[in-house]
């Protein structure tokens, strides 16, 4: 039950960071002075990156390294994309960053059921996965709202994206701690 609670907390952080650009990328790119059609294309590139990630990278990473490492890896890519959005305003850079961000976010949420399968009782997997994903939906709702709220206060998406990156770093800290604790337990069992 503790792991389920920790995963629920972690997914809120990554989903807040995920929803900020997804809900506001078109407006952000338009605010940078680019045409709305290019802004919509950039969002489409992020979504394509997500699809490619899920179809090509998620399975091999999760199968080889486990669900927690999968979450950590894709969350780190998402964080990098989110931070890079702050520093670049050229169209080519925005297309590439959107792909990176999408590739990262595409692998995060599907990795949580892998962790449930690996770490929690099989007969409780459906219920526990649903609860964790529910917390992800809460994070998505907060992130979408937060992006607009912060933009309205600051007149820019930069502070909102920084807040999203902070939530993503918190997610990385939680997942990194779980990975570390898991490795320590494995080493202790190997010795004992």
């Amino acid at each position: 039950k503790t792991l389920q609670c920790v995963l629920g907390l972690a997914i809120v952080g990554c989903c807040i960071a995920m929803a900020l650009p997804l809900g506001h990328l078109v407006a952000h790119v338009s605010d940078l002075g680019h045409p709305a059609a290019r802004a919509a294309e950039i969002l489409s590139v992020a979504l394509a990156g997500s699809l490619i990630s899920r179809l090509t990278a998620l399975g091999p990473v999760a199968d080889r390294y486990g669900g927690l490492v999968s979450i950590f890896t894709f969350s780190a890519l998402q964080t990098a994309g989110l931070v890079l959005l702050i520093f670049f305003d050229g169209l080519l850079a925005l297309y590439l960053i959107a792909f990176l961000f999408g590739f990262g976010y595409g692998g995060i949420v599907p990795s949580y059921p892998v962790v449930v399968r690996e770490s929690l009782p099989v007969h409780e997997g459906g219920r526990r996965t649903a609860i964790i994903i529910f917390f992800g939906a809460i994070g998505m709702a907060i992130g979408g709202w937060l992006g607009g709220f912060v933009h309205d206060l600051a007149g820019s998406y930069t502070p909102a994206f920084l807040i999203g990156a902070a939530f993503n770093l918190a997610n990385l800290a939680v997942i990194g701690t779980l990975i570390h604790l898991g490795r320590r337990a494995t080493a202790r069992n190997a010795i004992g």
Side-chain angles (χ1 to χ4, degrees):
K1 197 164 189 166
T2 301
L3 179 61
Q4 178 184 318
C5 292
V6 171
L7 290 173
L9 177 68
I11 200 170
V12 169
C14 69
C15 285
I16 287 173
M18 190 181 296
L20 276 158
L22 289 177
H24 300 280
L25 190 57
V26 173
H28 171 64
V29 174
S30 296
D31 284 357
L32 294 174
H34 300 294
R38 299 294 80 76
E41 287 174 0
I42 289 170
L43 177 60
S44 295
V45 167
L47 298 174
S50 171
L51 176 66
I52 291 168
S53 170
R54 289 180 186 190
L55 293 177
T56 64
L58 172 63
V61 172
D63 286 347
R64 181 165 183 155
Y65 302 105
L68 287 172
V69 172
S70 179
I71 292 170
F72 190 90
T73 301
F74 291 109
S75 192
L77 291 173
Q78 175 180 277
T79 305
L82 185 54
V83 170
L84 289 172
L85 280 173
I86 296 166
F87 296 105
F88 292 91
D89 58 7
L91 274 178
L92 178 58
L94 291 170
Y95 282 109
L96 294 172
I97 293 165
F99 184 83
L100 173 67
F101 175 82
F103 195 87
Y105 99 75
I108 297 171
V109 174
S111 296
Y112 280 90
V114 175
V115 176
V116 170
R117 183 197 71 216
E118 292 170 345
S119 306
L120 298 171
V122 174
H123 67 280
E124 298 176 1
R127 178 177 53 83
R128 290 179 182 263
T129 298
I131 291 168
I132 292 166
I133 299 300
F134 171 74
F135 280 97
I138 291 171
M140 293 294 284
I142 292 169
W145 170 83
L146 185 63
F149 179 75
V150 172
H151 178 271
D152 289 348
L153 289 176
S156 165
Y157 283 107
T158 297
F161 291 164
L162 285 171
I163 291 168
F167 274 103
N168 223 140
L169 289 172
N171 166 267
L172 286 168
V174 169
I175 298 301
T177 300
L178 290 174
I179 292 168
H180 176 71
L181 293 174
R183 288 183 178 158
R184 279 183 50 197
T186 301
R188 204 171 29 244
N189 290 339
I191 293 170

